[in-house]
Amino acid sequence: MTIKKAKEILKHQFGYDSFRMNQEAAIECLLHKKDAVVLMPTGGGKSLCYQIPALMFDGLTLVVSPLIALMKDQVDALQSNGIVAAYLNSTQTNREQVEVFQKVRRGEVKLLYVAPERLMQSGERFIDFLDGLDISLFAIDEAHCISSWGHDFRPEYRQLSKLKQYFPDVPLIALTATADKLVRQDIIKYLNLQNYELLISSFNRPNIYYTVKPKRSSYGQLLDFLEERKSESGIIYCLSRAATENLALDLRDEGFNALPYHAGLTKGERDKNQSLFINDDVKIIVATIAFGMGIDKSNVRFVVHMDLPKNIESYYQETGRAGRDGLESDALLFFSWGDVNKLKGFAEIENNQQQSEIMLKKLNQMGEYGDLKHCRRKYLLDYFDEELNEDCGHCDNCDTDFEKIDGTIIAQKALSAVARTGQKFGLTYLVDFIRGSKSQKIWDTHKNLKTYGIGSDISKDEWLAYFRDLVTQGFLKQVEEKYTTIALTEKSLGVLKGNTPVELFKVTVKEKKSTLVSEVSHPYEKDLFERLRTLRAKFAKAENVPPYIIFSDVTLVECSTYLPLTERHFLKMSGVGDVKMEKYGKDFLAEIIEFCEENNYETRMTLKEPTRRKRKRKNNGESSHSISLKMFKEGKTVKEIAKERNLAIGTIESHLVKFIPTGDIQIEDLVELEKIEVIKDAIFEMNPENGLSPIKEYLGEEFSYGEIKAVIAEMI
Ligand code: ADP
Ligand code: ZN
């Protein structure tokens, strides 16, 4: 049994080209009959760590999982790849359970999922049952449930310590997405592990873009946000049940496909709403935190928090439900210090001063995150004891310049506006007042004040940011009464008298490059994607499984990017193994071929680099991009580099394009001078946000995708 065989299974049964993170190490460990403790973030790919060994061993793999709701899903997913799996849990009738037992005894099942309580049910009967079987592997999913330090302690997990006593020679793998050190120690201790490997992956979720917006007219901001994501799935979290109901209603009135979810609904309603969401029949779930555990939907494209979560752990777990499939996803939080104050009450735990203090500290850290002026990812990873060497370049703060300026005069103007209007108005009113708004809203008596219009040279957004900064620094405060108003503090007087200098942050949003860049690296055909999605839904309905069990969004995006036209091509798409090829290949290919014929497109398989990861490693950590750059600097042409590196010309072009923004390569090196202007015109004409192909089509044969990408990179 070798890792080579494991790779074949990865490709043929699951349709993936290469292992992720510690998957390979975990599998290798089990193949050597050693135990493994695997810590990987949500969406990292924990399941394959035991599913692949399960297929390589002769006997049965027993998977212990507390999430009964997910078992069916996991089993469906395996069956869809032609792997025989089954589960035993309380949702089944006796008869169904007996059938499973029989199948297992006959050795027909490779993976059996059970809930932990079942394992030790009716004395040792289940253990006796296992004893009579050929067990090859134990997999303990959500292993943090064994620890009382974890956020989800389940006493029945402690029973699992018996596994090593009864089956000392059967390898065991424990998996969790909780990184905490104490939890980790408990897992090892209570599972009685001795000869084990601890495999910890980075908890970074690079495909999630973190944004925090001030919680002011958040509903309007939310509508704008959703408007840009019309056909996509997402979760919106609110603090209260009533808020979820109201927001879902409002969104439906606006024409969005949204439903609520909270613990106050009947079980029937909850199950219905959840499954509509999972099956892509409802796009948006507006939920309290009751929603999420046991949701395995891989194509959640955004998670919005209308209210502040109580701590970073919850925030990270909830935002982590976005983008399990690895595609670009968004996390948006609406933040105000008012929310921090509101939540303080919840942090008090009666008769437990120590615990209350911990909760308060965590809440304040959540506030700190909301108010952060530097890379958000860095803060989050640091919170979990992981160091990020550079700013991520993929969060709102990385896309924003914070310039410290002498804000004394600005502060004086703001503070005197507050003083002159009597300290009883909210932020919006004050900003309108200071900017001299002609609106009827402004009191007539106020229009005669000296401070009215004193700040008309500064934009509304800037004023809002300055006011917030002044509140943060304690020169002003928010007073929560019927409305939130702004008032002076002890520190205000010094400023008004001119004794206290004030520094403020001047905030400018950099030209937003990230969306365009990712647009360029994934210029997929949106219309085709929609058609494939419809086709997928048809199969999902017919087989009564969620659409992502048929194919994940990644598979559909790859198909719409590379336009596979033959079976051989189609097998190269991520997530297409032999069984799925057999089952769905013909229909999906027919749809793609038809689309290409209608649009006169050829295949774009040359854009795909199937062995990118492997190459990267072989190159001693030097990235594939840099190697292309080095060769280019040595005077080789794109064609020569492509030939030498055995990569497509398009691939080399996209490597080199990456170095235009950094200045390592000049646009003229890649595109003839007289072509540049022509391409620019075409870009303005066709708008690159619609993808590259319209531009290419407009320009015709003489222009390559590489040249177009180069000019776009230069324009950014
Ligand atoms: P986790 O249990 O860690 O949250 P999953 O096991 O559910 O994650 O995997 C998340 C997604 O990633 C699934 O859609 C899975 O098929 C996919 N995946 C797992 N391993 C790979 C891989 N090596 N290459 C591509 N996709 C993968
Ligand atoms: Zn960042």
Side-chain angles (χ1 to χ4, degrees):
M1 272 188 301
T2 59
I3 203 74
K4 186 159 166 271
K5 178 87 181 70
K7 277 186 187 151
E8 274 170 36
I9 294 179
L10 180 72
K11 179 73 207 162
H12 287 284
Q13 303 252 19
F14 294 96
Y16 300 131
D17 287 322
S18 50
F19 284 118
R20 276 190 191 158
M21 299 200 259
N22 281 323
Q23 283 177 334
E24 186 169 339
I27 292 169
E28 196 131 35
C29 186
L30 298 178
L31 294 183
H32 289 106
K33 303 275 151 114
K34 249 170 100 172
D35 299 333
V37 178
V38 175
L39 276 61
M40 236 187 236
T42 311
K46 286 186 282 297
S47 326
L48 287 190
C49 296
Y50 60 84
Q51 287 171 348
I52 289 184
L55 297 176
M56 299 175 74
F57 291 135
D58 290 333
L60 177 76
T61 289
L62 191 83
V63 186
V64 179
S65 165
L67 304 172
I68 290 181
L70 277 190
M71 285 183 188
K72 182 174 179 317
D73 212 57
Q74 298 248 10
V75 168
D76 282 346
L78 286 164
Q79 310 263 32
S80 77
N81 280 316
I83 298 160
V84 186
Y87 61 86
L88 282 171
N89 69 32
S90 49
T91 65
Q92 292 162 310
T93 61
N94 265 341
R95 203 203 163 110
E96 284 170 324
Q97 299 198 18
V98 169
E99 265 172 39
V100 172
F101 275 115
Q102 286 169 345
K103 266 175 101 172
V104 172
R105 269 212 195 85
R106 289 198 299 265
E108 290 168 14
V109 175
K110 289 285 354 168
L111 291 107
L112 178 65
Y113 287 76
V114 296
E117 54 271 22
R118 157 63 66 135
L119 214 52
M120 301 303 155
Q121 216 172 27
S122 13
E124 319 260 277
R125 260 181 54 203
F126 195 76
I127 293 277
D128 287 344
F129 165 71
L130 294 178
D131 213 15
L133 302 169
D134 174 17
I135 306 265
S136 297
L137 174 65
F138 291 110
I140 316 296
D141 209 0
E142 313 288 343
H144 59 272
C145 293
I146 209 166
S147 168
S148 50
W149 299 106
H151 53 82
D152 194 19
F153 174 51
R154 304 195 181 213
E156 61 274 19
Y157 254 65
R158 289 283 166 88
Q159 302 281 334
L160 297 175
S161 62
K162 296 200 184 132
L163 285 179
K164 272 282 151 190
Q165 286 168 17
Y166 289 110
F167 304 93
D169 300 327
V170 177
L172 182 151
I173 178 171
L175 312 108
T176 174
T178 303
D180 198 294
K181 271 202 194 94
L182 294 170
V183 173
R184 209 186 295 166
Q185 283 165 5
D186 271 2
I187 292 175
I188 292 158
K189 174 168 141 201
Y190 289 111
L191 287 176
N192 283 321
L193 303 186
Q194 259 133 37
N195 184 19
Y196 65 90
E197 259 184 60
L198 182 61
L199 299 164
I200 305 176
S201 301
S202 165
F203 273 67
N204 189 9
R205 299 287 310 278
N207 59 318
I208 299 182
Y209 188 98
Y210 298 97
T211 305
V212 178
K213 297 224 161 152
K215 190 171 174 173
R216 187 183 51 83
S217 16
S218 47
Y219 181 62
Q221 296 191 64
L222 176 70
L223 289 183
D224 292 343
F225 178 86
L226 296 178
E227 202 59 52
E228 289 172 21
R229 294 165 178 76
K230 266 249 142 107
S231 56
E232 290 169 358
S233 274
I235 307 172
I236 302 174
Y237 284 109
C238 302
L239 191 62
S240 74
R241 297 175 182 183
T244 66
E245 299 259 356
N246 292 336
L247 183 56
L249 262 180
D250 288 346
L251 290 177
R252 278 214 299 285
D253 282 345
E254 300 281 347
F256 292 100
N257 194 351
L259 282 179
Y261 187 104
H262 57 76
L265 298 175
T266 63
K267 173 138 185 358
E269 283 172 304
R270 267 181 296 159
D271 289 351
K272 191 176 119 226
N273 291 1
Q274 173 167 328
S275 77
L276 283 168
F277 179 64
I278 287 175
N279 291 326
D280 277 347
D281 291 328
V282 155
K283 293 288 172 197
I284 299 171
I285 281 282
V286 188
T288 59
I289 50 170
F291 183 78
M293 259 307 241
I295 295 286
D296 222 354
K297 186 173 164 63
S298 66
N299 63 341
V300 174
R301 288 276 76 82
F302 59 86
V303 170
V304 178
H305 284 92
M306 300 304 286
D307 304 299
L308 196 70
K310 296 190 184 82
N311 50 52
I312 300 275
E313 284 91 344
S314 309
Y315 172 74
Y316 205 63
Q317 190 179 38
E318 282 148 23
T319 53
R321 298 196 173 116
R324 271 164 171 265
D325 54 15
L327 295 177
E328 275 304 309
S329 306
D330 276 285
L332 170 62
L333 163 70
F334 289 108
F335 173 74
S336 80
W337 280 106
D339 266 7
V340 177
N341 287 330
K342 230 193 288 176
L343 287 173
K344 276 189 181 146
F346 290 97
E348 294 295 331
I349 292 169
E350 233 174 283
N351 301 327
N352 194 339
Q353 169 122 21
Q354 198 191 0
Q355 196 68 17
S356 303
E357 273 168 22
I358 296 176
M359 294 296 169
L360 263 181
K361 181 168 173 231
K362 285 180 187 283
L363 175 60
N364 276 326
Q365 286 169 309
M366 193 65 234
E368 214 171 88
Y369 173 83
D371 213 5
L372 207 62
K373 300 278 187 294
H374 63 263
C375 180
R376 299 212 191 263
R377 194 178 312 272
K378 223 174 179 164
Y379 185 94
L380 291 171
L381 289 175
D382 181 60
Y383 187 90
F384 297 113
D385 287 328
E386 194 178 322
E387 204 178 334
L388 196 65
N389 289 328
E390 300 175 355
D391 287 354
C392 76
H394 199 54
C395 71
D396 58 349
N397 282 352
C398 281
D399 283 338
T400 308
D401 275 326
F402 295 96
E403 185 193 347
K404 257 205 165 139
I405 56 165
D406 175 2
T408 312
I409 307 255
I410 294 173
Q412 284 169 346
K413 288 181 180 172
L415 268 49
S416 67
V418 174
R420 293 299 173 109
T421 51
Q423 307 189 51
K424 52 182 179 220
F425 291 90
L427 203 54
T428 319
Y429 185 91
L430 288 165
V431 169
D432 284 343
F433 167 79
I434 209 167
R435 296 190 70 247
S437 158
K438 300 276 184 305
S439 155
Q440 300 238 324
K441 239 178 47 190
I442 305 290
W443 292 16
D444 283 338
T445 48
H446 286 170
K447 288 184 177 159
N448 298 324
L449 295 172
K450 245 184 20 203
T451 24
Y452 173 66
I454 199 174
S456 56
D457 53 330
I458 293 177
S459 76
K460 190 167 177 168
D461 281 343
E462 271 177 89
W463 268 121
L464 288 167
Y466 289 142
F467 268 99
R468 272 195 300 271
D469 202 352
L470 289 166
V471 171
T472 309
Q473 297 191 51
F475 293 116
L476 288 172
K477 67 179 178 203
Q478 284 188 324
V479 180
E480 309 284 339
E481 277 168 2
K482 198 163 157 212
Y483 306 101
T484 307
T485 56
I486 305 283
L488 301 177
T489 69
E490 324 69 276
K491 282 170 81 180
S492 305
L493 200 61
V495 179
L496 286 168
K497 280 189 171 165
N499 297 335
T500 318
V502 178
E503 275 195 330
L504 288 171
F505 279 108
K506 187 173 159 61
V507 178
T508 27
V509 177
K510 291 183 207 163
E511 269 305 317
K512 187 136 182 212
K513 51 179 185 209
S514 30
T515 49
L516 204 55
V517 169
S518 68
E519 202 67 53
V520 171
S521 56
H522 264 300
Y524 68 95
E525 298 293 337
K526 302 246 160 48
D527 291 345
L528 176 59
F529 181 80
E530 287 308 322
R531 281 163 69 163
L532 297 178
R533 182 141 68 174
T534 310
L535 184 61
R536 175 176 72 176
K538 235 172 59 194
F539 279 109
K541 286 257 146 57
E543 296 180 30
N544 195 20
V545 292
Y548 58 83
I549 298 266
I550 307 286
F551 282 130
S552 77
D553 277 16
V554 178
T555 312
L556 303 194
V557 166
E558 290 215 345
C559 286
S560 323
T561 306
Y562 304 121
L563 309 179
L565 300 178
T566 65
E567 293 200 354
R568 200 170 51 80
H569 286 167
F570 194 64
L571 268 169
K572 291 202 171 135
M573 300 299 106
S574 172
V576 182
D578 296 350
V579 171
K580 291 194 174 171
M581 173 74 233
E582 185 72 24
K583 273 207 266 188
Y584 315 116
K586 271 210 175 62
D587 293 276
F588 278 79
L589 275 171
E591 190 74 40
I592 300 167
I593 292 169
E594 189 180 296
F595 175 84
C596 287
E597 278 170 358
E598 283 168 21
N599 291 285
N600 226 350
Y601 290 155
E602 290 179 9
T603 180
R604 293 179 199 148
M605 287 299 291
T606 44
L607 293 172
K608 191 163 166 63
E609 299 171 88
T611 48
R612 189 164 29 178
R613 260 164 216 257
K614 243 193 279 161
R615 262 198 194 94
K616 244 190 200 157
R617 223 175 301 131
K618 263 197 216 139
N619 298 326
N620 262 340
E622 192 175 4
S623 79
S624 192
H625 300 124
S626 324
I627 297 173
S628 297
L629 174 71
K630 213 159 85 191
M631 294 170 78
F632 191 74
K633 293 248 152 163
E634 286 164 4
K636 295 190 172 121
T637 66
V638 172
K639 238 189 190 152
E640 285 164 352
I641 301 172
K643 186 136 185 266
E644 205 167 307
R645 301 198 59 198
N646 197 18
L647 292 172
I649 290 183
T651 307
I652 305 295
E653 282 175 342
S654 51
H655 288 172
L656 297 178
V657 162
K658 296 245 154 63
F659 294 101
I660 290 182
T662 64
D664 287 304
I665 284 191
Q666 306 301 314
I667 178 82
E668 297 86 342
D669 297 338
L670 291 178
V671 192
E672 286 167 44
L673 267 181
E674 54 268 36
K675 275 185 165 180
I676 296 175
E677 283 312 308
V678 184
I679 296 175
K680 272 191 186 164
D681 288 345
I683 290 168
F684 280 122
E685 192 73 23
M686 306 307 292
N687 183 7
E689 304 218 5
N690 300 326
L692 290 192
S693 46
I695 304 175
K696 167 83 169 86
E697 208 167 332
Y698 182 92
L699 286 165
E701 286 297 284
E702 271 125 84
F703 295 79
S704 72
Y705 275 104
E707 289 171 329
I708 300 169
K709 282 187 201 167
V711 175
I712 291 177
E714 155 86 0
M715 285 163 78
I716 296 163

